[in-house]
Amino acid sequence: MHETDLHDLSDDADYAASIEQASASVMLTRSESGNRSLSSETEGAELIYSKDNVAIHPTQFASERISGRLKLAKQGHSVFMTWIPYKGQSSNARLSEKDRNLYTLRAVPFSDVRSIRRHTPTLGWQYIIIVMSSGLAFPPLYFYNGGVKEFFTTLKQHVLIVRSLEDANVFLVNDFQNPLQRTLSSLEMPGAVSIGSAPSTPASGSHLTAFTDGGKTSEVLSQSISRNRQKAHDPGRDLSIHVLEKFSLVTKFARDTTTQLFRENSNGFSALETKSYGISRPRPDAPYQEEPEKKVPEEIHVPSDPLEFDKLALVWGKPRQSPLGSMEWATFLDSEGRITDSKDLRKRIFYGGVEHAIRKEVWAFLLGYHDYDSTYAEREYLKSSKRTEYMTIKQQWQSISPEQAKRFTKFRERKGLIDKDVVRTDRSLPFYDGDSNPNVKTLRDILLTYSFYNFDLGYCQGMSDLLSPILYVTEDESESFWCFVELMERLGPNFNRDQSGMHAQLFALSKLVELLDPPLHNYFQQNDCLNYFFCFRWILIQFKREFEYEQTMSLWEVLWTHHLSEHLHLYLCVAILKRYRGKIMGEHMDFDTLLKFINELSGHIELDPFLRDAEALCIYAGENGAASIPPGTPPSLPIENENSLLYSLEDEVL
């Protein structure tokens, strides 16, 4: 594909319309005074930056982007960001005005922004990702006409921005109107350095002693800094998992050390701070008093489930069946090996799964490695030709000499990350157990080969979790590779560096919860849990860590049938949340508590009842549920249209 095929969008109606509207807006701007209001929310604000043709991509297709105008405004000491899509200018009929309004950003204060990630690839469009203090990350904003540098230059004049030492493209935002953020900034936390400045020496323990209590906090901070340094030297660390872990660490650290951080403040806590953190600071001269006996918290009223979930599952969810066996499997094949009724087969697997003895054969169909109408002979020929192709790709990295590797940084980084991951992937299974296990080496070889097969995506943490069961079932290197390739066609967007695939699914999950349990959705909204990051691991690796190995394989083959919905995994998320809604709301869990609770569910979820619940929710939601999931949300299979694909072209090829 030529570069012009990727970037020449002059024939795109949406792009042309945005250009026309941009010209009109320039004329309007010239006729107005320099001080303008963004909206009623920021009335009287001074416009300090405006950029047209800034777009978001709800799907992976460039033609389905939504273009709009990005603005920065200052009101007093506060800076706000607004992005408004152009009205009535769309080349994609599937995206309604309601869909477009879902992405509108209105007067977002930078006091609520945690960081900004900048992407400036050599080829492709520059874009930024805004991450809020709550952990929510807005969809990437693509600058079709450039302007990222001007955006940061303008912002730098009004808001303190520091560059992360862990990633030169991440900039941390600090609002000095917030006492807690101001104090955290004064610590010179490791991993941050001012823009345009040389990296400063990370804060040592001696710099932190003023905020300690008997040295305990210093020890905690030192351990936290040590962990951060280790992660900073992990060049291949997956961004998605990294962001989630960092967010959890920062929020916990900020809350646990609030008392020490404000100890220097002679005026103590303000009323707002005391209310927010529930901390009372004793006077230095006050006599010692025993802590009063803690009051038993009053019982919290939990809103009833509007769907009467227990009854719903009984009405709409069908009982699970026994797994598909070899004799029944044979009835789905004709004399030459073709599947006679693929729809009926997928429905049968959806309700019962597959016996392990025939998984190797059946999974190849479910994943798309074999066509349902292929014959025995055609499948044998395909295996032979694909094995040759696999070896050709594998030899590409096997032929790299030590001297080449010294000059191939990205290869060394990915190889190092794969080597580290495979030795800790499912080692409790006899199939992967023991030193010098050949299956672990095969797992490594497949992942390295895939990183050469898919240069753009490469390798990210979590991929070894997805490959492991496939190799366990097929016990064949080439077939495992090609089945993994087919799986990544569906789940690859989970590992996009801009997290677009994960954000699309988390957004769809939030809309499904809003549809199927409004009280629970409102609870998450009121407790800053609306980003649904606590479901991140569930979606990223398809519940791999939540169930026993056998149950995971049963779940995957159910999901791969795409019976009822391609997004049954999202309904499964809703089903689990609804089953535990009473505990979540009754114990008034905040984000950190909820994240801990969700992680501790691992290994304690029974699959079959929740699959029945997910089926009931999917049927009940019907068209409204399908409409809540934006087009192109993974694991939807990609549409074969090369000219409309939005490729993630980074400045590094591999």
Side-chain angles (χ1 to χ4, degrees), residues 589-610:
M589 296 184 183
D590 59 9
F591 178 83
D592 285 342
T593 308
L594 181 56
L595 179 62
K596 181 175 182 293
F597 171 71
I598 293 296
N599 287 338
E600 290 175 349
L601 287 179
S602 177
H604 300 284
I605 306 175
E606 191 175 351
L607 178 61
D608 285 353
F610 282 105

Side-chain angles (χ1 to χ4, degrees), residues 544-556:
K544 169 68 160 34
R545 307 264 179 94
E546 317 314 317
F547 298 102
E548 298 296 331
Y549 207 73
E550 175 63 33
Q551 286 190 324
T552 298
M553 292 188 290
S554 297
L555 170 62
W556 284 9

Side-chain angles (χ1 to χ4, degrees), residues 13 31-32 34 49 53 179 207 267 422 518 635:
S31 65
E32 295 180 352
Y49 174 87
N53 301 319
H207 293 121
N267 295 325
V422 295

Side-chain angles (χ1 to χ4, degrees), residues 228-496:
N228 288 340
R229 284 175 177 165
Q230 292 174 4
K231 292 179 181 178
H233 292 291
D234 186 355
R237 186 168 182 81
D238 174 53
L239 177 63
S240 300
I241 298 177
H242 187 63
V243 167
L244 180 60
E245 290 178 348
K246 284 295 182 185
F247 173 66
S248 179
L249 174 63
V250 169
T251 53
K252 185 177 187 301
F253 167 77
R255 184 170 54 251
D256 290 348
T257 61
T258 300
T259 306
Q260 286 76 15
L261 295 179
F262 285 96
R263 192 166 293 256
E264 284 192 341
N265 186 350
S266 59
N267 295 325
F269 285 89
S270 67
L272 176 62
E273 291 154 3
T274 304
K275 179 180 179 181
S276 299
Y277 295 97
I279 299 172
S280 59
R281 180 172 177 264
R283 299 191 311 275
D285 58 344
Y288 172 79
Q289 294 180 351
E290 291 186 5
E291 291 187 4
E293 187 175 333
K294 293 183 179 179
K295 295 182 179 180
V296 178
E298 297 181 3
E299 184 177 351
I300 299 175
H301 171 69
V302 177
S304 60
D305 189 338
L307 296 185
E308 297 186 358
F309 192 39
D310 292 324
K311 297 180 181 178
L312 181 74
L314 291 174
V315 173
W316 295 102
K318 296 181 181 179
R320 306 295 299 167
Q321 302 174 12
S322 59
L324 176 71
S326 56
M327 294 183 62
E328 187 180 1
W329 162 245
T331 64
F332 285 96
L333 302 171
D334 66 14
S335 59
E336 294 185 331
R338 299 182 185 88
I339 303 294
T340 56
D341 190 338
S342 61
K343 184 177 180 180
D344 192 44
L345 172 64
R346 288 185 288 110
K347 182 178 180 180
R348 173 66 179 87
I349 295 172
F350 178 87
Y351 286 108
V354 179
E355 286 185 356
H356 188 75
I358 60 172
R359 274 192 173 128
K360 177 178 180 178
E361 191 174 359
V362 176
W363 278 22
F365 287 98
L366 293 177
L367 287 168
Y369 176 49
H370 291 318
D371 293 331
Y372 286 107
D373 60 353
S374 63
T375 64
Y376 292 125
E378 289 170 341
R379 293 197 286 273
E380 287 302 316
Y381 176 79
L382 179 69
K383 290 179 184 178
S384 177
S385 61
K386 285 295 187 179
R387 184 169 288 106
T388 301
E389 184 179 354
Y390 171 74
M391 292 307 301
T392 300
I393 303 170
K394 183 177 179 179
Q395 287 170 3
Q396 292 177 5
W397 62 264
Q398 285 183 324
S399 63
I400 296 177
S401 66
E403 289 300 315
Q404 284 179 293
K406 290 179 182 178
R407 297 164 176 82
F408 200 166
T409 303
K410 188 58 66 176
F411 170 70
R412 296 198 312 272
E413 290 176 350
R414 289 185 173 173
K415 181 177 180 295
L417 185 58
I418 291 172
D419 286 341
K420 184 174 68 176
D421 281 355
V422 295
V423 297
R424 58 190 185 191
T425 300
D426 297 327
R427 296 305 295 274
S428 61
L429 294 176
F431 187 78
Y432 293 110
D433 188 23
D435 298 331
S436 302
N437 188 313
N439 296 320
V440 176
K441 181 181 181 300
T442 302
L443 194 70
R444 164 190 176 271
D445 290 354
I446 294 173
L447 292 171
L448 267 172
T449 305
Y450 182 79
S451 73
F452 272 70
Y453 173 81
N454 190 339
F455 282 174
D456 291 339
L457 188 58
Y459 176 78
C460 298
Q461 282 186 318
M463 289 184 181
S464 60
D465 279 290
L466 296 177
L467 173 60
S468 170
I470 295 176
L471 179 59
Y472 174 77
V473 167
T474 65
E475 300 187 58
D476 182 278
E477 184 172 345
S478 173
E479 290 187 43
S480 295
F481 173 81
W482 292 113
C483 285
F484 181 68
V485 166
E486 295 294 339
L487 179 62
M488 293 305 293
E489 285 295 304
R490 308 176 187 186
L491 301 183
N494 284 12
F495 302 95
N496 284 349

